[in-house]
Amino acid sequence: MTQHPTQSPQFFLTAPSPCPYLDGQFERKVFTHLVGDKAPEMNDLLTQGGFRRSQNIAYRPACETCRACVSVRILAGEFTPSRNMRRVLHANSDLIGVMHDAEPSTEQYSLFRSYLDARHRKGGMSDMTVLDYAMMVEDTHVNTKIIEYRRRGPDTFITGRGHGELIAVALSDQMADGLSMVYSYFDPELADRSLGTFMILDHINRAKAMGLPHVYLGYWVNGSRKMNYKMRFMPQEHLGPKGWERFEG
């Protein structure tokens, strides 16, 4: 009988670079490749251990002098939206999200480009081409989904599909214990809809419907204003030295 050696992941450490969240700090990351048949199982384990996925790479902070990045996951089954969140849900009740396999489209890239140009013109993703975007979506060995949000149309209750132009998109991993939001973007001219909040609320509802206990939001960075929105979704758990611990603000 032929025996195949067990392949353990190899981990690597990046060189220090300026932190994109905290002025004066430098970040380092430990990372490994997510490839092969065991990638979905490995992604589950690493995400539960505080890693994030980008294409076929799983990474987490390994900074020498800072521990501000904290992994956050929402307890979907216990979540109750606030009054403001209920208003966001009502304001977007004309939208429907369709989940399908992670496949890029020119329509997605056009919206993605508009979002970057309006919100992150000086960010690290600002120069992404259509090929870079396709790689971001397709280069995955795990169970990755795209959710496209459009206005409800006359066919909604027949096909489950929306109608009209693309308004928002979420790239998410479906894991054994939850949904992990990898990246999301939306029409920057529709800021009054609070589409970022809406997509998180939609993921919580989807996780509940699928019987999954968690929605992973990535890192909350203590001291970074751009990350404060993640603290609005309670109850949640934070990953610390003793493992995942309940946090209610």
Side-chain angles (χ1 to χ4, degrees), residues 95-127:
L95 301 186
I96 184 169
V98 179
M99 178 184 282
H100 54 80
D101 291 339
E103 296 179 355
S105 69
T106 54
E107 187 182 23
Q108 290 171 18
Y109 179 71
S110 178
L111 181 62
F112 175 73
R113 191 70 262 165
S114 296
Y115 175 78
L116 289 184
D117 291 344
R119 295 292 188 99
H120 302 287
R121 184 168 296 180
K122 296 182 180 180
M125 303 173 73
S126 60
D127 60 350

Side-chain angles (χ1 to χ4, degrees), residues 25 44 98 102 112 120 139 153 156 166 216 220 240:
Q25 294 288 348
D44 283 12
V98 179
F112 175 73
H120 302 287
D139 193 5
T156 294
L166 191 63
Y216 288 84
W220 167 59

Side-chain angles (χ1 to χ4, degrees), residues 8-93:
S8 299
Q10 290 184 300
F11 292 90
F12 307 90
L13 188 64
T14 66
S17 61
C19 176
Y21 301 109
L22 299 177
D23 293 338
Q25 294 288 348
F26 286 83
E27 69 169 359
R28 300 189 77 176
K29 295 176 182 175
V30 60
F31 69 94
T32 188
H33 295 277
L34 285 172
V35 295
D37 294 340
K38 296 294 185 181
E41 178 183 348
M42 185 60 62
N43 187 49
D44 283 12
L45 291 172
L46 291 175
T47 301
Q48 292 162 9
F51 281 72
R52 292 289 284 166
R53 185 185 69 81
S54 177
Q55 296 179 219
N56 65 2
I57 296 291
Y59 68 90
R60 76 174 182 190
C63 307
E64 296 173 354
T65 61
C66 179
R67 295 293 182 270
C69 292
V70 178
S71 293
V72 172
R73 66 187 187 188
I74 302 166
L75 295 170
E78 300 181 46
F79 177 82
T80 300
S82 66
R83 180 179 299 179
N84 179 263
M85 290 174 182
R86 290 196 296 270
R87 284 197 290 264
V88 170
L89 288 170
H90 179 73
N92 292 285
S93 60

Side-chain angles (χ1 to χ4, degrees), residues 74 79 85 197 200-201 229-236:
I74 302 166
F79 177 82
M85 290 174 182
T197 296
I200 294 175
L201 294 172
Y229 73 92
K230 297 183 181 184
M231 293 298 98
R232 297 169 52 216
F233 300 89
M234 298 292 175
Q236 57 185 230

